[in-house]
Amino acid sequence: MKTSFPLAPAGLLAASALLLATSCTAPRAIVATGKVTPQGEFRVGYNQGFNVATASISKAGAAVKEAAAQAITQQKVDYTDATTQLQAAALAYVLDPVQPTADLNVRYGIVPRLDAGYKYAFGSHVFDAAYQLLGPTGTPENPGAGATTGTTYASIGLQFATQRAKLPSLAFLSDINSLLNFRATRNDLLIPLTFSNSFGPEEEIGAISYGLVYAHSWVSYGFAPTKLYNGSVQVPELPLQSRNFSSFGGFLNLKLGYRYFYVIPAVSLFYQNYGDYALLNGQSTSLSGVTVVPSLGFQLRIPNFTN
């Protein structure tokens, strides 16, 4: 016989917050301008943001409550609708969590219109490059022809991120993880098209940037529970499944500072239909939603002093 002990509202809220706030995810805040890093220069930065996904918010509460009660109080758990809801919540968490995001990054200007960089997002490794389509390629110390306040720049970028995702092992959340034995990996490709208008020649005091972004994600996931049962029969594991989905969005950011140091507030908005996902016991779920990513970044420009 299944026994459950409901969590108090405060406990449920804390459980949901912990579940959705302690993972890593590939950064989707767009803080670049249309002007790429000039040849021979470095840019070093830090970004702090928050990933707010409607799919995760809608799936987390009741599923976390039921799973916590089952995992804590029982050695043998009957498969119920709540178990299906928990799997949907776990998937939503991996696909698009509600959580703080942060990354450290460095970029280098390879040739006049091409730069490349690396971001470490505390568990996610990100490699990217951008090609400047429009605008001069000078610096504040040596502006290019036509570089003034209001000059328009444009660039197209390519970002690839890889990470291993799992439910966090914190407090009783480790019991939830032991119930599902959930594992997942994902890779993300992001292509931003960025336009910007310079404040001062060659963004000497910053820029306003805006644009469109396309993203595509590949996810592999599976469940291997050891104490889920249909009556006296143990629920078999779900072997690794592979899915992929596209995201579409736009962004706006503001770069403010002077020559060597800048502050960059930004916001990005995405829509994605994640598609259909197989679950344990022959069940399935469909997910879709909107994600808002506000962020605040800091950037240090290191000029090429040999020029």
Side-chain angles (χ1 to χ4, degrees):
M1 178 178 178
K2 181 168 77 72
T3 305
S4 63
F5 298 89
L7 297 178
L12 173 58
L13 181 61
S16 302
L18 281 171
L19 175 64
L20 298 174
T22 53
S23 76
C24 57
T25 188
R28 292 201 290 175
I30 310 297
V31 297
T33 70
K35 178 179 174 62
V36 304
T37 310
Q39 183 178 11
E41 286 195 1
F42 284 93
R43 292 178 183 174
V44 179
Y46 172 78
N47 297 306
Q48 178 68 58
F50 202 93
N51 201 80
V52 183
T54 59
S56 297
I57 292 172
S58 68
K59 296 291 185 182
V64 171
K65 175 182 178 180
E66 183 70 16
Q70 289 181 347
I72 291 173
T73 64
Q74 299 176 16
Q75 295 300 315
K76 179 179 177 181
V77 178
D78 290 336
Y79 193 102
T80 66
D81 289 341
T83 316
T84 299
Q85 294 169 14
L86 173 58
Q87 294 168 78
L91 279 167
Y93 163 84
V94 167
L95 296 173
D96 212 355
V98 175
Q99 65 165 25
T101 64
D103 69 83
L104 295 167
N105 59 82
V106 59
R107 303 193 66 78
Y108 177 72
I110 301 171
V111 294
R113 291 187 178 272
L114 179 68
D115 72 356
Y118 169 76
K119 298 177 185 178
Y120 178 65
F122 302 93
S124 179
H125 299 280
V126 185
F127 305 90
D128 70 313
Y131 180 78
Q132 186 173 318
L133 304 168
L134 181 67
T137 60
T139 67
E141 295 82 8
N142 186 23
T148 63
T149 293
T151 297
T152 299
Y153 298 84
S155 66
I156 187 165
L158 182 67
Q159 172 180 297
F160 177 77
T162 182
Q163 63 179 304
R164 182 180 175 219
K166 63 179 181 178
L167 296 179
S169 298
L170 296 175
F172 65 86
L173 296 181
S174 60
D175 295 320
I176 296 173
N177 199 35
S178 68
L179 175 66
L180 290 177
N181 194 17
F182 177 59
R183 68 270 193 205
T185 60
R186 65 179 294 169
N187 297 307
D188 298 274
L189 187 68
L190 187 144
I191 304 174
L193 176 62
T194 307
F195 299 90
S196 64
N197 298 104
S198 179
F199 299 155
E202 302 287 14
E203 301 182 352
E204 182 176 35
I205 57 176
I208 183 170
S209 303
Y210 45 90
L212 301 173
V213 58
Y214 169 77
H216 200 87
S217 301
W218 294 264
V219 179
S220 294
Y221 71 97
F223 299 97
T226 59
K227 58 179 183 178
L228 275 180
Y229 285 82
N230 275 326
S232 60
V233 179
Q234 184 174 346
V235 174
E237 73 172 70
L238 180 74
L240 284 176
Q241 309 285 305
S242 296
R243 296 289 185 273
N244 67 87
F245 61 91
S246 295
S247 305
F248 305 89
F251 61 90
L252 175 71
N253 71 58
L254 192 62
K255 178 180 177 181
L256 297 172
Y258 180 73
R259 286 207 174 186
Y260 308 113
F261 183 77
Y262 300 90
V263 177
I264 308 175
V267 63
S268 303
L269 178 68
F270 294 88
Y271 170 76
Q272 47 270 311
N273 184 344
Y274 308 101
D276 299 324
Y277 292 80
L279 303 176
L280 293 165
N281 208 33
Q283 303 298 308
S284 64
T285 188
S286 297
L287 299 165
S288 64
V290 173
T291 306
V292 181
V293 188
S295 69
L296 181 64
F298 303 93
Q299 185 182 98
L300 176 66
R301 171 178 167 259
I302 305 174
N304 181 1
F305 293 106
T306 62
N307 287 345

mmCIF file of all heavy atoms in Angstrom, residues 6 18 23 111 130 160 192 205 215 223 225 234 258 264 268 276 295 300-301 306:
data_model
loop_
_atom_site.group_PDB
_atom_site.id
_atom_site.type_symbol
_atom_site.label_atom_id
_atom_site.label_comp_id
_atom_site.label_asym_id
_atom_site.label_seq_id
_atom_site.Cartn_x
_atom_site.Cartn_y
_atom_site.Cartn_z
ATOM 1 N N PRO A 6 2.133 14.685 2.715
ATOM 2 C CA PRO A 6 2.255 15.922 1.948
ATOM 3 C C PRO A 6 3.221 16.894 2.599
ATOM 4 O O PRO A 6 3.291 17.015 3.825
ATOM 5 C CB PRO A 6 0.823 16.470 1.927
ATOM 6 C CG PRO A 6 0.132 15.832 3.099
ATOM 7 C CD PRO A 6 0.757 14.488 3.257
ATOM 8 N N LEU A 18 15.113 24.538 -5.050
ATOM 9 C CA LEU A 18 16.371 23.810 -5.099
ATOM 10 C C LEU A 18 16.497 22.987 -6.377
ATOM 11 O O LEU A 18 17.553 22.948 -7.009
ATOM 12 C CB LEU A 18 16.488 22.894 -3.878
ATOM 13 C CG LEU A 18 16.915 23.573 -2.569
ATOM 14 C CD1 LEU A 18 16.783 22.594 -1.422
ATOM 15 C CD2 LEU A 18 18.318 24.125 -2.662
ATOM 16 N N SER A 23 21.628 23.825 -11.153
ATOM 17 C CA SER A 23 22.249 23.110 -12.268
ATOM 18 C C SER A 23 23.019 24.073 -13.144
ATOM 19 O O SER A 23 23.028 25.273 -12.925
ATOM 20 C CB SER A 23 21.181 22.420 -13.105
ATOM 21 O OG SER A 23 20.518 23.368 -13.904
ATOM 22 N N VAL A 111 41.471 38.019 -37.089
ATOM 23 C CA VAL A 111 41.751 38.863 -38.258
ATOM 24 C C VAL A 111 40.772 40.026 -38.187
ATOM 25 O O VAL A 111 39.878 40.057 -37.345
ATOM 26 C CB VAL A 111 41.594 38.067 -39.582
ATOM 27 C CG1 VAL A 111 42.651 36.974 -39.688
ATOM 28 C CG2 VAL A 111 40.205 37.460 -39.689
ATOM 29 N N ALA A 130 32.536 34.870 -34.305
ATOM 30 C CA ALA A 130 31.648 35.832 -34.946
ATOM 31 C C ALA A 130 32.369 36.492 -36.109
ATOM 32 O O ALA A 130 33.585 36.747 -36.044
ATOM 33 C CB ALA A 130 31.173 36.886 -33.944
ATOM 34 N N PHE A 160 28.713 26.978 -29.866
ATOM 35 C CA PHE A 160 28.448 25.567 -29.583
ATOM 36 C C PHE A 160 28.751 25.297 -28.121
ATOM 37 O O PHE A 160 29.817 25.676 -27.613
ATOM 38 C CB PHE A 160 29.301 24.658 -30.459
ATOM 39 C CG PHE A 160 29.119 23.197 -30.144
ATOM 40 C CD1 PHE A 160 27.991 22.515 -30.579
ATOM 41 C CD2 PHE A 160 30.065 22.509 -29.399
ATOM 42 C CE1 PHE A 160 27.801 21.174 -30.282
ATOM 43 C CE2 PHE A 160 29.893 21.167 -29.095
ATOM 44 C CZ PHE A 160 28.752 20.504 -29.546
ATOM 45 N N PRO A 192 23.408 33.904 -33.465
ATOM 46 C CA PRO A 192 22.833 35.243 -33.337
ATOM 47 C C PRO A 192 23.207 36.142 -34.518
ATOM 48 O O PRO A 192 24.339 36.119 -35.001
ATOM 49 C CB PRO A 192 23.482 35.762 -32.054
ATOM 50 C CG PRO A 192 24.818 35.078 -32.008
ATOM 51 C CD PRO A 192 24.657 33.750 -32.716
ATOM 52 N N ILE A 205 32.471 54.658 -26.036
ATOM 53 C CA ILE A 205 31.717 54.718 -24.785
ATOM 54 C C ILE A 205 30.551 53.728 -24.782
ATOM 55 O O ILE A 205 29.676 53.788 -23.912
ATOM 56 C CB ILE A 205 31.217 56.147 -24.483
ATOM 57 C CG1 ILE A 205 30.359 56.690 -25.623
ATOM 58 C CG2 ILE A 205 32.398 57.068 -24.207
ATOM 59 C CD1 ILE A 205 29.767 58.070 -25.321
ATOM 60 N N ALA A 215 18.454 28.895 -32.304
ATOM 61 C CA ALA A 215 19.197 27.891 -31.535
ATOM 62 C C ALA A 215 18.643 26.508 -31.835
ATOM 63 O O ALA A 215 17.460 26.350 -32.146
ATOM 64 C CB ALA A 215 19.113 28.183 -30.042
ATOM 65 N N PHE A 223 15.916 6.963 -17.933
ATOM 66 C CA PHE A 223 15.541 6.712 -16.547
ATOM 67 C C PHE A 223 15.820 5.235 -16.232
ATOM 68 O O PHE A 223 15.494 4.358 -17.039
ATOM 69 C CB PHE A 223 14.051 6.977 -16.309
ATOM 70 C CG PHE A 223 13.627 8.394 -16.573
ATOM 71 C CD1 PHE A 223 13.064 8.742 -17.792
ATOM 72 C CD2 PHE A 223 13.776 9.376 -15.609
ATOM 73 C CE1 PHE A 223 12.653 10.038 -18.050
ATOM 74 C CE2 PHE A 223 13.371 10.670 -15.849
ATOM 75 C CZ PHE A 223 12.812 11.017 -17.074
ATOM 76 N N PRO A 225 15.005 3.488 -12.859
ATOM 77 C CA PRO A 225 14.583 3.378 -11.453
ATOM 78 C C PRO A 225 14.744 1.962 -10.925
ATOM 79 O O PRO A 225 14.685 0.989 -11.687
ATOM 80 C CB PRO A 225 13.099 3.773 -11.512
ATOM 81 C CG PRO A 225 12.672 3.361 -12.892
ATOM 82 C CD PRO A 225 13.859 3.626 -13.782
ATOM 83 N N GLN A 234 8.390 -4.840 -11.327
ATOM 84 C CA GLN A 234 9.235 -3.648 -11.356
ATOM 85 C C GLN A 234 9.126 -2.964 -12.719
ATOM 86 O O GLN A 234 9.143 -3.615 -13.760
ATOM 87 C CB GLN A 234 10.685 -4.014 -11.069
ATOM 88 C CG GLN A 234 11.600 -2.793 -10.985
ATOM 89 C CD GLN A 234 13.016 -3.181 -10.560
ATOM 90 O OE1 GLN A 234 13.238 -4.287 -10.083
ATOM 91 N NE2 GLN A 234 13.958 -2.258 -10.739
ATOM 92 N N TYR A 258 33.805 53.210 -20.909
ATOM 93 C CA TYR A 258 34.759 54.056 -21.619
ATOM 94 C C TYR A 258 36.028 53.263 -21.941
ATOM 95 O O TYR A 258 36.749 52.848 -21.034
ATOM 96 C CB TYR A 258 35.118 55.294 -20.799
ATOM 97 C CG TYR A 258 36.109 56.202 -21.508
ATOM 98 C CD1 TYR A 258 35.711 56.978 -22.601
ATOM 99 C CD2 TYR A 258 37.435 56.262 -21.104
ATOM 100 C CE1 TYR A 258 36.606 57.791 -23.271
ATOM 101 C CE2 TYR A 258 38.350 57.081 -21.765
ATOM 102 C CZ TYR A 258 37.933 57.836 -22.845
ATOM 103 O OH TYR A 258 38.824 58.646 -23.515
ATOM 104 N N ILE A 264 27.220 45.775 -19.173
ATOM 105 C CA ILE A 264 26.319 45.377 -20.263
ATOM 106 C C ILE A 264 25.055 44.728 -19.698
ATOM 107 O O ILE A 264 25.010 43.518 -19.458
ATOM 108 C CB ILE A 264 27.018 44.401 -21.238
ATOM 109 C CG1 ILE A 264 28.361 44.967 -21.702
ATOM 110 C CG2 ILE A 264 26.110 44.125 -22.436
ATOM 111 C CD1 ILE A 264 29.166 44.014 -22.560
ATOM 112 N N SER A 268 17.145 38.632 -23.322
ATOM 113 C CA SER A 268 16.849 37.788 -24.479
ATOM 114 C C SER A 268 15.515 37.094 -24.248
ATOM 115 O O SER A 268 15.153 36.785 -23.104
ATOM 116 C CB SER A 268 17.945 36.734 -24.689
ATOM 117 O OG SER A 268 19.207 37.327 -24.850
ATOM 118 N N ASP A 276 7.793 15.894 -28.246
ATOM 119 C CA ASP A 276 7.275 14.780 -27.451
ATOM 120 C C ASP A 276 8.425 13.936 -26.892
ATOM 121 O O ASP A 276 9.412 13.683 -27.591
ATOM 122 C CB ASP A 276 6.371 13.880 -28.303
ATOM 123 C CG ASP A 276 5.165 14.635 -28.842
ATOM 124 O OD1 ASP A 276 4.644 15.500 -28.115
ATOM 125 O OD2 ASP A 276 4.761 14.370 -29.986
ATOM 126 N N SER A 295 20.132 39.602 -17.984
ATOM 127 C CA SER A 295 21.505 39.413 -17.514
ATOM 128 C C SER A 295 22.199 40.754 -17.314
ATOM 129 O O SER A 295 21.766 41.787 -17.832
ATOM 130 C CB SER A 295 22.311 38.559 -18.499
ATOM 131 O OG SER A 295 22.538 39.263 -19.705
ATOM 132 N N LEU A 300 36.087 43.716 -19.891
ATOM 133 C CA LEU A 300 37.367 44.411 -19.874
ATOM 134 C C LEU A 300 37.998 44.295 -21.256
ATOM 135 O O LEU A 300 38.164 43.176 -21.777
ATOM 136 C CB LEU A 300 38.299 43.809 -18.822
ATOM 137 C CG LEU A 300 39.716 44.378 -18.765
ATOM 138 C CD1 LEU A 300 39.700 45.826 -18.325
ATOM 139 C CD2 LEU A 300 40.581 43.525 -17.825
ATOM 140 N N ARG A 301 38.320 45.407 -21.864
ATOM 141 C CA ARG A 301 38.979 45.421 -23.166
ATOM 142 C C ARG A 301 40.478 45.567 -22.985
ATOM 143 O O ARG A 301 40.953 46.455 -22.279
ATOM 144 C CB ARG A 301 38.438 46.585 -24.006
ATOM 145 C CG ARG A 301 39.192 46.824 -25.300
ATOM 146 C CD ARG A 301 38.576 47.969 -26.110
ATOM 147 N NE ARG A 301 39.472 48.370 -27.178
ATOM 148 C CZ ARG A 301 40.274 49.429 -27.151
ATOM 149 N NH1 ARG A 301 40.259 50.231 -26.099
ATOM 150 N NH2 ARG A 301 41.064 49.703 -28.152
ATOM 151 N N THR A 306 50.808 46.805 -29.516
ATOM 152 C CA THR A 306 51.877 46.808 -30.505
ATOM 153 C C THR A 306 51.518 47.613 -31.738
ATOM 154 O O THR A 306 52.381 47.901 -32.562
ATOM 155 C CB THR A 306 52.206 45.361 -30.937
ATOM 156 O OG1 THR A 306 51.046 44.766 -31.549
ATOM 157 C CG2 THR A 306 52.627 44.543 -29.736
#
